[in-house]
Amino acid sequence: MISLFSKWPFGTMSFRPSSLLILLIVSTLSWCQGSETTSPKASHGTPFPWTKMRLPEHIIPIHYDLMIHANLTTLTFEGTTAIDITVSQLTSAVILHSQHLQISKATLKKGTGERMSEELMRILEHSPHEQIALLPSEPLLVGLLYTVVINFAGNLSENFHGFYKSTYRTKEGEVRILASTQFEPTAARMAFPCFDEPAFKATFSIKIRREPRHLALSNMPLVKSVTIAEGLIEDCFDVTVKMSTYLVAFIVSDFKSISKMTKSGVKVSVYAAPDKINQADYALDAAVTLLEFYEDYFSIPYPLPKQDLAAIPDFQSGAMENWGLTTYRESSLLFDAKKSSASSKLGITMTVSHELAHQWFGNLVTMEWWNDLWLNEGFAKFMEFVSVRVTHPELKVEDYFFEKCFNAMEVDALNSSHPISTPVENPAQIREMFDDVSYDKGACILNMLRDYLGADAFKSGIVHYLQKYSYKNTQNEDLWNSMAGICPADVPQRMDGFCSRGQHSSSSSHWQQQESIDVRTMMNTWTLQKGFPLITITVRGRNVHIKQEHYMKGTDGTPETGYLWHVPLTFITSKSDWAQRFLLKTKTDVLILPEEVEWIKFNVGMNGYYIVHYEDDGWESLTGLLKGTHTAISGNDRASLINNAFQLVSIGKLPIEKALDLTLYLKHETEVMPVFQVLNELIPMYKLMEKRDMNEVETQFKAFLIRLLRDLIDKQTWTDEGSISERMLRSQLLLLACVRKYQPCVQRAEGYFRDWREANGNLRLPNDVTLAVFAVGAQTTEGWDYLSSKYQSSLSSTEKEQIELALCISQNKEKLQWLLDQSLKGDIIKTQEFPGILRAVGRNPVGYQLAWQFLRENWNKLVQKFELGSPTIAFMVMGTTNQFSTRARLEEVKGFFSSLKENGSQLRCVQQTIETIEENIRWMDKNFDKIRVWLQSEQPGLL
């Protein structure tokens, strides 16, 4: 599954591509955890025979025969599941999962043919654990095959998980209903009784009953259709491969499709609402290309005969990797060639590549339990960049990878962070794992390992891992064991399986002292402890002194946690642009250069998951380099310097003035990532000021930002020309300039909006400037109302997102309140859009108090709709509160959430937002006056 809030290549694009750096800033996203109580009693008071949250391991499902009949008129479904099971010990109760299902009958069958017997079983339900117990008349015996047959019924979910209702409106205004599934992590049990844990892999034979006007889809191809009665057809799908329950999927709809075949004969299809199927071509071509890439890269054929991609009108996350039937939010799959932006094309490509990577990482080889979710999600996130770099080189995705690492570091720098591999048990804890640490940090440490071992050696290791554990479940250590025999290209393997380090081309003598590379020990330092290291560099002549500490926000300096990492350091110098390598395994060390240098830059290309501080005149040397010849180091290295400098300000290692001085070279910058990174650092600063009503300095700071980038803004053409990176840079700079009321931009946008409106919205605007045009147009009442009406009739996901954000920029509080009300209601604006609208209004200087009030007043509704513990709840909590910077607001936040008790007081995202607000207060108290003085005295002369 890909979270909607991290699907775009930029952390600040976390809700939609257009929301990047202008009004919305990176949120520390984490799943929230609610408390839950347990009871040994069944629902009617009878003792329940199982007390644990996890199912017993001695009951093993082999195969499911599942029949589902969904009624899209009554919005109900009924079904039967026949589960073949064996037991490994004498068993007096069959324990499995069921949630919100009415179970009418449970039967136990054993034996075959004439010797087959059948008996009714007693049914007990234990709702707190979402479990049922089926009690046979006598214990089940080891070595026999049993079939458990369960009849059940339920209501289609009104939320976004389980088997749920979705709707769309046709061009003619007719509302049509469909039903789709979203089971990860623990919602298969809402659609049929099952052993709903990832290690209980089984095969599935699925039958779907439907009306003739509908189409049914599932994981496997359709084998036959049978007319059961007048107006009722049963579709029978082929038997699946062995897989986990969370990957089962089925859809009943009237979708249309387009298809192509891969070179190896896999049929790839994209399904969408009939009026939008003409937007499916780009995703179809991308999916075919990417599936062919993965088959070649992994040296394992895709094991199913087909791969469907379905665009679901109502979808809470970004996409889901159901085996053979991946599902997507419409904006994550459909590309309108006339209206979709460059960032939309990039986002769709990355999302499709993520879900298709899961067909191997996650589906073929699955983590044994959710504590190692990163084995699924970290790998899929990492493979997005590996695959798209090859299949779509024009997108230049390698430029955006390190931004994922900065995203992860935002949450990983808090005390409330967690190790990549963390024990979890209940559903709330499981949902909590779907965060930036599992996805982005997981991808970043894999990239670091690949950079260390070499691409070929790393690839050999993961192919060995996939081949060894196909159709099985794995733990963290299984991956490192698969890597243990893989050595870097220039390093021989020793008899014990480790890689021997003899003479190495590095100038450092330390490679001779390190006898072996122990991948498992090295990577355990990155997966089994939270956080990341701060590497401090002190140069004394030819000697480079290195020290590692745990970087953590909250106080000046670094805490003594005792954490130690094995850090694969890389560096370049003024005398050598070839990346030299050094493995730091101790708290301190020294490396000796062949000659003295003017400057040294560590973490080349930001391939390592750590930040660097340069003591003495180290930062002055690098600032001078940027001001003099900034192209001497790569764009990614320049961006990482900007990031690291401001991270060091947060812990008191670097004065804010030095970090601001570093940004002044941006007057000469033209590459996308350093510009985006400086916006990532500077926009949050004035956002904090907005929450403190510091108008004078806030206005000066915004003016400084525009002045810093004015030359680059003035160079932007109002077209769709150039590379993807150039187009994305244009889109964000023009939006920034227009929102900050830079008059040349505002006047141009007003002209475009006037012409577009006079043409009744039929004038084709350049896609990359549309958001800036709409943002300016929405500032008048007439313009806002016109955009609102066009939103309701638009069939383009990109256009709707652009209008949505423009409407949220309004300075009219009544309009903002209307957006909040309508998006939660779900008629005019779909409820799936509410979290983004709430966050956008929460970023608006005139709207943030409305958003915070709305969250509080509607908390119970939101929890009911989006599920306590979901990333969506976390996204909304952080989006409305984590830019607060006053003690009064801090007490308000603490008071509200503590009053919720079990309905939210223990949420992880609450801990994070409180920690973040405390950090905001501390940061502003320490740095605000310094910024004011810097703006007044130094900045005019420097510019």
Side-chain angles (χ1 to χ4, degrees), residues 483-487 492-500 516-518:
M483 294 283 187
I486 307 300
C487 300
Q493 184 173 330
R494 299 189 332 190
M495 293 294 289
D496 60 6
F498 290 140
C499 303
S500 169
S516 65
I517 301 172
D518 183 349

Side-chain angles (χ1 to χ4, degrees), residues 506-510 540-546 571 580 582 589-595:
S506 168
S507 59
S508 165
S509 61
H510 278 267
R540 297 276 187 270
R542 289 173 51 211
N543 290 359
V544 180
H545 297 261
I546 308 171
F571 64 94
Q580 300 175 67
F582 183 86
D589 213 329
V590 182
L591 64 85
I592 302 168
L593 301 175
E595 56 185 324

Side-chain angles (χ1 to χ4, degrees), residues 901-917:
K901 298 186 170 57
E902 69 276 2
N903 201 30
S905 64
Q906 299 305 313
L907 300 178
R908 181 188 287 273
C909 55
V910 173
Q911 300 167 29
Q912 290 178 333
T913 205
I914 288 171
E915 216 178 317
T916 302
I917 297 169

